[in-house]
Amino acid sequence: MTSVRTPDPNPGWLSDLALQETRSRVPILYVEAVPARVDSGGNIEHVGVLLRGSTQTNQIVRTLVSGRVFHGETIRDALQRNIEKDLGPAAFPRLPVSPVPFTVAEYFPLPGLTPLHDPRQHAVALVYVVPVTGECNPRQDALELTWLTPEEALAPSLLADLEGGRGQLLKQALAWSGVLS
């Protein structure tokens, strides 16, 4: 089966084979981000959803910015790196000095244990809403970034289309941000 994944020019701390072996034995730490355009008062006007090729299904799916935290890397640096990897170097994310996630998501390889599912692994993700102010140009395996109003993002069909149950995370992000009452 061919992969739709773009080769990582900086594979970090594990080879693909070592990562596969590790994924089968221990949870892997990730960061995920909901990119947001905010007004001068900090209210969300739009959220960004990526279109990319799924490494699990080899299909085109909607998803959020996400990626592993490398050994020896701070959470803040992992967020910056993964946002740049997915949205381009001119996205200009506004990261706080000490980022605190709005939720912690747990993905299991067996469906049904939680609403979030990743057939490759047991993963734990720290999830953030990150305002971005610059020009976003998807890179690597991200094909497109779609900016949606909160109302558009809450459409049941869009939430259901997000890979691995991430629609739940998008809904939580908007609730945490005060968009849902």
Side-chain angles (χ1 to χ4, degrees):
M1 183 166 18
T2 60
S3 173
V4 295
R5 186 174 137 204
T6 301
D8 188 352
N10 302 305
W13 52 282
L14 294 173
S15 68
D16 285 345
L17 184 58
L19 178 59
Q20 184 179 1
E21 175 68 20
T22 303
R23 281 178 168 154
S24 72
R25 296 178 183 270
V26 297
I28 304 292
L29 181 61
Y30 283 76
V31 290
E32 296 199 68
V34 176
R37 298 283 193 200
V38 297
D39 64 19
S40 60
N43 300 306
I44 291 180
E45 294 181 329
H46 294 91
V47 293
V49 177
L50 292 169
L51 189 67
R52 74 164 38 137
S54 171
T55 57
Q56 292 99 18
T57 63
N58 288 330
Q59 296 179 345
I60 302 299
V61 295
R62 295 229 176 256
T63 193
L64 303 175
V65 170
S66 66
R68 289 187 319 236
V69 177
F70 291 154
H71 181 75
E73 182 178 45
T74 67
I75 299 297
R76 189 174 193 284
D77 287 347
L79 266 171
Q80 179 73 38
R81 179 178 54 78
N82 283 293
I83 289 169
E84 182 175 319
K85 172 184 65 83
D86 286 347
L87 302 182
F92 303 129
R94 292 188 352 219
L95 297 174
V97 173
S98 180
V100 176
F102 73 83
T103 194
V104 176
E106 192 168 20
Y107 294 85
F108 285 95
L110 302 172
L113 292 176
T114 70
L116 302 170
H117 176 251
D118 186 336
R120 304 170 300 168
Q121 65 193 334
H122 178 187
V124 176
L126 306 174
V127 191
Y128 302 85
V129 173
V130 179
V132 293
T133 59
E135 185 69 30
C136 296
N137 294 307
R139 296 176 30 162
Q140 293 201 8
D141 61 345
L143 303 172
E144 173 185 293
L145 174 68
T146 304
W147 290 105
L148 304 166
T149 65
E151 295 77 23
E152 292 168 332
L154 291 170
S157 61
L158 180 99
L159 293 173
D161 280 350
L162 284 160
E163 180 183 38
R166 285 178 175 86
Q168 175 183 330
L169 295 178
L170 182 54
K171 193 172 179 178
Q172 286 178 323
L174 292 170
W176 177 83
S177 300
V179 173
L180 298 177
S181 41

